[in-house]
Amino acid sequence: MNSNTQRIVITAVLTALLIAVGPLAVNIGPIPMTLQTLIIALVASVSSTRVSLTAIGLYLLLGAFGLPVFAGFKGGFVLLAGPTAGYLLSFLLFAPIIGLSFKRWANVWGLIVTNILASVVNLTIGTIWLTISMQLPVEAGIAAGITPFILSSALKITVVVIVALAVRQVQARTALAF
């Protein structure tokens, strides 16, 4: 399989993974708790920046066009303008933050640091948009948009690091580089 075909296949598989897991959610307030960030971070941690940006972009595009791929099996452009828009759109930053930084620090600590940074960026951008769009006081925005997600973010990062390191070991032993 040539590299372009391999890249297309891997992008399709990663996009399908996002579509399969993205809708699963638990409503805990205005922002649902999902596995989206776990899969987004994993995609960015195991594939090239180009492949992960493409997969994440396709996922967001499919959701914008109305496919029920977002939290709670919802879709539509309105979600990219509503209270969750900041979280969704900041997914596009996971790929460059994790991908480019991890290339610089190709070790477990680099993977941990870049995933923490991507999560902080996601929660910060998401909470800023949530606070503005719902006209919340800053304290209420933080209470709704960051506080409930601190523990789950730490758990997701732990899972991502363990799985990404295992996938990268397989990639190193095979010709399966994506």
Side-chain angles (χ1 to χ4, degrees), residues 1-164:
M1 184 173 350
N2 72 34
S3 63
N4 282 337
T5 304
Q6 185 177 352
R7 190 176 306 117
I8 291 167
V9 169
I10 296 298
T11 301
V13 168
L14 294 175
T15 304
L17 182 61
L18 287 168
I19 290 168
V21 176
L24 306 176
V26 175
N27 288 326
I28 60 169
I31 305 301
M33 188 167 293
T34 70
L35 294 176
Q36 288 171 321
T37 51
L38 178 124
I39 301 302
I40 296 286
L42 185 59
V43 165
S45 295
V46 300
S47 62
S48 70
T49 301
R50 179 178 171 186
V51 167
S52 58
L53 263 177
T54 304
I56 295 165
L58 283 170
Y59 169 72
L60 292 172
L61 193 61
L62 291 170
F65 284 136
L67 269 65
V69 298
F70 295 147
F73 295 90
K74 295 178 184 168
F77 183 77
V78 68
L79 294 172
L80 295 178
T84 61
Y87 298 96
L88 291 169
L89 294 173
S90 71
F91 289 166
L92 292 168
L93 298 176
F94 271 74
I97 290 171
I98 295 171
L100 298 176
S101 298
F102 189 64
K103 285 179 184 174
R104 191 163 214 214
W105 307 310
N107 59 43
V108 67
W109 292 110
L111 189 56
I112 291 169
V113 168
T114 57
N115 271 276
I116 290 171
L117 179 60
S119 292
V120 168
V121 168
N122 172 255
L123 290 173
T124 301
I125 291 172
T127 301
I128 290 169
W129 182 255
L130 171 71
T131 303
I132 293 168
S133 69
M134 294 186 72
Q135 300 177 346
L136 298 173
V138 172
E139 299 82 14
I142 291 170
I146 293 178
T147 307
F149 303 102
I150 293 173
L151 180 59
S152 66
S153 292
L155 291 172
K156 289 174 188 177
I157 290 168
T158 302
V159 170
V160 165
V161 169
I162 291 168
V163 173

